[in-house]
Amino acid sequence: MSAAAGALAAVLAVDGGNSKTDVALIGQDGSVLAAVRGGPSNHQIIGVDQASAVLVGLVREAAGQAGLPAAGQVAAHTSACLAGADLPVEEADLSRLVQSFGWSPSNSVVNDTFAVLRAGLADDGPHWGIGVVCGAGINCVGVGPDGAVFRFLALGELSGDWGGGGEIGPQALWWAMRAEDGRGPETALRTAVPAHFGLQRVEDVVVGLHLGKIGYEERHRLVPVLFEVAEHGDQVARDVLARQAEEICLMAEVAARNLGLAGAGASAGAGASAGAGASAEAGGAGGGPVPVVLGGSLMTARHPLLTGAIAERLSVSIPGAEIRIVDIPPVAGAALLGLDHVGAPATAAARLRECALAAW
């Protein structure tokens, strides 16, 4: 996995998130020269200085693994997908920060949703479509056949967003508590949620959270509990997943409509039916399929209740929608964007995909 003596890597790929950071050095042929992982690097949470220290340390480690000098330039281009790059102005600010590290002559910093979109597109074709990420949170971007870009603010509840593990995990607790105290319908979550924590009652879980005996981040880990209960037919849990599917579809539909993709005519208003106003014509550019790429932990889990509901709705609201769930990690998406930038051939992207399955 080492680079040729004195040769820079083609791409330094970075996926910096809220829980972990992946860094990889990629050769011109798409080979993975180095791959390292470290802690979180979201500057909005841990501060710019700490985030910079994490990134610099990981790049130094990757350089050593690839046989490159620990200081100075390590690649022709840096392609970074960083948490906290939610707005274009934030992407620009972070790009200047990355450039100050001197890792490469050029760099690009984008929201990780663009990397997910690229990861789900063909390497030898035009790179346009709709990408939706549903992991801890939710976001969606779209790129039209003409290069036009549509994006959401994606700042959580503040910008009208709903969904992701950070939302539906707490929903499991919310419905469980209401079932236990009588304010809500009966649900198997009432027993499954406290059992997850080794407790008898939902009240014990809530009090534990309130007193700090249980970390608030543990609510996120209730997502698999919700899925399991839904799988056994619980209506409350299924309704939560149905709402999650609706939010994902709404974002994709709005993006498609704003990009003028044929057939994307579903209304996004309250109570809109899946096919309201949809054109009978299918497809995007030239009447071909409209790629809708799904990424993030809730999507890559491929739970049939969730993905099935999404596929059913989008088949009507965006006729010609071709749903693809990414099968490579986000850092590989960042690497693909970098290979595009340096003009690497499609064979390099294909090799990267093969290597990614082994490297991560």
Side-chain angles (χ1 to χ4, degrees):
M1 288 174 56
S2 63
L8 298 180
V11 175
L12 168 62
V14 182
D15 172 51
N18 296 318
S19 60
K20 63 178 175 59
T21 300
D22 282 319
V23 170
L25 286 165
I26 310 299
Q28 183 69 32
D29 63 351
S31 57
V32 178
L33 306 176
V36 297
R37 173 172 290 180
S41 57
N42 186 343
H43 71 287
Q44 295 175 340
I45 297 176
I46 64 176
V48 173
D49 290 344
Q50 181 60 29
S52 298
V54 170
L55 293 171
V56 169
L58 287 172
V59 172
R60 184 180 297 118
E61 182 181 350
Q65 192 179 107
L68 295 168
Q73 294 186 358
V74 296
H77 180 72
T78 297
S79 176
C81 300
L82 302 179
D86 298 308
L87 306 174
V89 64
E90 292 171 323
E91 291 174 341
D93 289 342
L94 289 168
S95 178
R96 285 189 289 270
L97 176 66
V98 169
Q99 195 64 36
S100 72
F101 297 141
W103 295 328
S104 59
S106 63
N107 81 85
S108 56
V109 175
V110 297
N111 183 273
D112 63 350
T113 314
F114 287 99
V116 166
L117 172 59
R118 175 62 185 87
L121 300 177
D123 299 319
D124 57 354
H127 299 151
W128 66 271
I130 299 164
V132 183
V133 172
C134 192
I138 189 170
N139 197 1
C140 172
V141 299
V143 177
D146 60 355
V149 173
F150 177 83
R151 59 197 297 172
F152 291 87
L153 286 176
L155 300 175
E157 184 180 11
L158 185 66
S159 58
D161 309 316
W162 189 94
E167 190 78 56
I168 69 172
Q171 281 281 300
L173 176 62
W174 194 85
W175 284 109
M177 186 69 252
R178 291 176 72 88
E180 185 171 277
D181 67 20
R183 286 178 293 171
E186 188 54 59
T187 169
L189 292 168
R190 177 177 177 176
T191 55
V193 166
H196 171 77
F197 293 98
L199 299 171
Q200 294 296 315
R201 293 174 54 80
V202 185
E203 181 178 319
D204 297 330
V205 178
V206 174
V207 171
L209 287 161
H210 176 68
L211 296 178
K213 296 178 180 179
I214 300 174
Y216 264 68
E217 70 280 357
E218 292 299 320
R219 297 180 303 165
H220 190 127
R221 295 185 173 89
L222 288 172
V223 173
V225 176
L226 181 76
F227 274 110
E228 183 177 356
V229 169
E231 194 172 61
H232 285 86
D234 185 84
Q235 191 59 50
V236 169
R238 283 179 173 244
D239 286 346
V240 173
L241 294 186
R243 184 182 178 189
Q244 180 64 91
E246 179 183 21
E247 291 292 326
I248 290 168
C249 292
L250 281 172
M251 288 185 121
E253 290 160 7
V254 169
R257 189 167 64 248
N258 276 273
L259 292 170
L261 299 179
S267 169
S273 65
S279 165
E281 295 181 9
V290 178
V292 179
V293 180
L294 306 177
S297 57
L298 265 66
M299 297 292 91
T300 56
R302 298 174 184 265
H303 195 286
L305 280 177
L306 184 55
T307 57
I310 293 169
E312 182 179 3
R313 173 164 171 158
L314 291 185
S315 68
V316 178
S317 63
I318 309 179
E322 185 178 280
I323 297 175
R324 308 170 185 177
I325 299 177
V326 294
D327 56 2
I328 56 176
V331 68
L336 286 169
L337 289 172
L339 288 174
D340 292 342
H341 182 89
V342 300
T347 53
R351 181 170 185 185
L352 170 65
R353 290 180 185 276
E354 293 176 0
C355 294
L357 297 176
W360 292 281

